[in-house]
Structure formats: C-alpha cells, structure tokens
Amino acid sequence: MSLIRRASFYSLLCSSAFMLFSQSALAQAGMPQAGMPQPGAAQPGAAQTGGLSRTMVGKADVSVPGREAVVAKVEVAPGSRAGRHTHPGDEISYISEGEVDLLIDGQPPRTLKAGESFVVPAGVIHDAHNASNGTVKLIGVYVVEKGKPLATPAP
C-alpha cells in the first residue's frame, strides 16, 4: 500500500474515532448534535437481528466519490451469532469488550479479544460468534457505497 493510501486510511480511521468519541461526549453532556443520528435511535441500515445490534452513531462523506464512513456501536449477545453477511465497503472494527470468534470466508477462524481489531474487505462474507457468557461490544467503521444497505445477509 502506498504511503499516500496508508496516510488516507489512518486519517479516516482517526477522524472516525474522533467523530465517535465527540458524539459520545456531546450526548453525555445532553447537547444536541446537528445532522448526527442520535444514539439508540432507529436508523436506516441499523440492524437488530437475533443476538446482534448495530446502532449508528455517525455518518460522513469521505474523500472517495460515492462513498461514506459509517460509525456504529455493535453488540453480539452471549451465545449469539451475527449471521453470515457482507458490506458494500470495508469494515474496520475495534473490540472494546469481550471475546468473539471471527469467521471470514477463505481465512482460518480467529478468536479476538478486547483491545484487538480486524478488517473485512468489501463484499467478503463473514460472521462473528460469541461463545462467551458476556456481551461482545465493538466499534465498527464502515467505508461503504452511498445508498446501499450497510449489511446484506449471505447464504
């Protein structure tokens, strides 16, 4: 990956993290955020299926035409699976709490713990299993095509 592409990637990741944490701080202070989805509010593309919940906390245009960054809080309930699915862009996630088994088609299964991260390329089928007794919490940053659903179930 070229230096410029790496710098753009890390800039996007840092900007997304800043957006997430500033959103959280403003919400805790009870301040309104113009143009930002409210945490916990029903959002287009937010998933609430079985043991998976995905709450959008921010969305912004990126430097790639036709794409946007979506930041979401994701939780996988104890003993649940996210379900096989894809995204219309890259997923970059950080596990903030718990332990999850990540299954990405074409790769060996990986067990990830709090403090670790992963990347799933656009269109790649993947799933997450929470075999523990606690909820897995992660922050997902999705750089996706505008106008497409954030996630699509896969066979």
Side-chain angles (χ1 to χ4, degrees):
M1 183 183 297
S2 74
L3 179 60
I4 293 172
R5 290 182 88 174
R6 272 187 279 176
S8 295
F9 170 79
Y10 290 121
S11 174
L12 172 64
L13 192 55
C14 290
S15 297
S16 297
F18 174 77
M19 184 170 58
L20 173 67
F21 293 119
S22 63
Q23 167 81 8
S24 178
L26 289 172
Q28 287 176 0
M31 299 175 70
Q33 299 111 67
M36 296 295 289
Q38 297 301 308
Q43 299 295 322
Q48 308 294 327
T49 59
L52 174 79
S53 70
R54 186 182 294 117
T55 304
M56 292 175 39
V57 295
K59 184 191 283 192
D61 289 342
V62 296
S63 60
V64 178
R67 299 225 173 225
E68 62 188 354
V70 177
V71 180
K73 294 188 298 186
V74 181
E75 294 187 4
V76 183
S80 295
R81 300 170 180 243
R84 290 172 52 83
H85 63 283
T86 63
H87 302 286
D90 299 324
E91 174 184 355
I92 305 138
S93 290
Y94 171 79
I95 300 175
S96 60
E97 190 174 312
E99 180 176 301
V100 68
D101 296 322
L102 179 65
L103 305 168
I104 299 175
D105 279 12
Q107 297 182 18
R110 294 187 297 173
T111 299
L112 300 167
K113 299 175 183 172
E116 296 182 311
S117 65
F118 63 90
V119 175
V120 180
V124 173
I125 297 173
H126 59 288
D127 195 356
H129 298 182
N130 178 0
S132 75
N133 292 326
T135 300
V136 172
K137 296 180 181 182
L138 61 94
I139 304 302
V141 177
Y142 308 86
V143 182
V144 295
E145 294 178 55
K146 285 184 174 185
K148 292 203 174 177
L150 185 59
T152 302

